[in-house]
Amino acid sequence: MTDVNRKKKNLEVQREDHTTIRYTASGPATGPTLALIHGWGCSRTDFDAVADRLPENYRALAIDLAEHGESRSTRNTWTIEEFARDVAAVLEAESVDTVVVAGHSLGGAVAVEVGRQLPDTVSHVVALDALHYLGLFPAQSEEQVEAMQHMFREDFAGAVRGLVEGGSPAGTDEALKNTYFEKMVAVRQPAGLHAIEGLVHWDMDTALRETKQPITVFAVRELTTREAIDRYEDRFDITLVDLGSHHFPVESPEGTAELLANVVGARQA
């Protein structure tokens, strides 16, 4: 797919609780629209190279969730549902009628919630290495929730390192893992901790039942278990990919852009 080096506009939308959501828009306003949501501790810039490799007639909206990247908020609610409202505010500001919403990692959960909240606007939900991690995304027991929260509260850096290691297939470059760790461990607080808490409290199974759009999961082959496929293959389409680590949208922007363009194109057909 050709790199079109598309012109980008940095924009913002205001929400309540002194919340400013910043986002990047590129491509023609009349083109098929793709909303891009980063993962926990990451930012919309992770999608810069992906957007440059989308077909030139596509419109891309890359969004910084509250207290990530350049977005700021004084709110006290850090649920997946509230992050979805950040995305919905951007879609409303951009007068989007139809959109494919794609999210990486935690952003995949947010994408599902956007689909649930906007059934008449979202045509397809895409999760980039998300939803299939059974110890994180499905509703957890109270004991599991408390254990996860305790781990992050007591040793935040160690817990972040664990996330990075868990998302790195064998042979992943150590320098690359360190880059991800340094970026994620610097997530703004207390939102970073509360966002993790929001994720482990999220009831994914209920959300999936109430989200009527097709859901496609692009999952790293080496990090995907047979148990996850068996549990969810009747609810979302799991496609195994070999594009790098859990952060493959950064590592393989061309391959990621092709995957996303194929989904958007299928919705347009």
Side-chain angles (χ1 to χ4, degrees):
M1 198 168 289
T2 303
D3 186 341
V4 299
N5 193 25
R6 59 173 65 209
K7 183 177 180 181
K8 301 179 178 68
K9 294 187 295 183
N10 293 311
L11 304 165
E12 65 181 49
V13 63
Q14 302 295 321
R15 297 194 61 216
E16 64 275 6
D17 296 324
H18 303 285
T19 298
T20 301
I21 301 301
R22 295 186 168 90
Y23 62 100
T24 300
S26 62
T30 57
T33 303
L34 178 64
L36 300 166
I37 311 168
H38 60 77
W40 178 84
C42 300
S43 74
R44 73 187 194 270
T45 59
D46 286 349
F47 289 111
D48 283 351
V50 174
D52 282 342
R53 289 163 175 80
L54 291 170
E56 60 183 11
N57 65 312
Y58 280 34
R59 179 190 194 190
L61 302 172
I63 302 158
D64 274 342
L65 301 174
E67 285 297 275
H68 288 73
E70 295 181 327
S71 291
R72 296 291 177 263
S73 178
T74 62
R75 73 191 187 209
N76 296 314
T77 302
W78 299 102
T79 61
I80 299 300
E81 293 88 343
E82 192 64 23
F83 279 132
R85 295 183 186 102
D86 292 339
V87 178
V90 171
L91 299 180
E92 181 179 4
E94 290 291 313
S95 301
V96 174
D97 295 323
T98 304
V99 63
V100 172
V101 180
H104 168 244
S105 196
L106 175 141
V110 176
V112 171
E113 280 295 338
V114 177
R116 177 158 72 160
Q117 292 178 18
L118 301 175
D120 297 327
T121 303
V122 177
S123 63
H124 201 117
V125 174
V126 179
L128 302 170
D129 210 45
L131 309 185
H132 63 292
Y133 290 98
L134 299 184
L136 189 60
F137 286 91
Q140 307 292 303
S141 69
E142 286 302 316
E143 293 79 10
Q144 290 169 315
V145 168
E146 183 53 41
M148 177 70 76
Q149 293 179 156
H150 179 78
M151 180 171 62
F152 275 87
R153 290 169 182 165
E154 295 300 310
D155 183 7
F156 188 80
V160 174
R161 176 64 72 178
L163 288 180
V164 174
E165 292 294 335
S168 302
T172 301
D173 182 71
E174 290 296 325
L176 192 61
K177 290 194 287 186
N178 287 336
T179 297
Y180 296 143
F181 169 76
E182 294 295 339
K183 176 170 65 173
M184 294 166 67
V185 79
V187 63
R188 289 173 64 86
Q189 299 293 1
L193 175 61
H194 292 330
I196 285 289
E197 293 172 342
L199 179 59
V200 297
H201 279 104
W202 183 52
D203 188 346
M204 183 176 81
D205 292 284
T206 296
L208 290 174
R209 285 194 297 270
E210 296 179 358
T211 302
K212 305 307 180 185
Q213 300 90 336
I215 300 174
T216 298
V217 175
F218 293 114
V220 175
R221 187 184 307 275
E222 192 171 331
L223 303 177
T224 304
T225 65
R226 183 72 244 179
E227 182 184 2
I229 295 173
D230 290 342
R231 177 168 173 174
Y232 287 112
E233 64 183 351
D234 64 340
R235 181 57 194 95
F236 47 69
D237 175 34
I238 302 178
T239 299
L240 302 181
V241 299
D242 300 292
L243 295 176
S245 77
H246 174 64
H247 295 268
F248 71 80
V250 174
E251 297 160 29
S252 303
E254 183 169 6
T256 303
E258 184 174 358
L259 294 175
L260 294 173
N262 287 340
V263 172
V264 176
R267 302 310 302 172
Q268 299 300 308

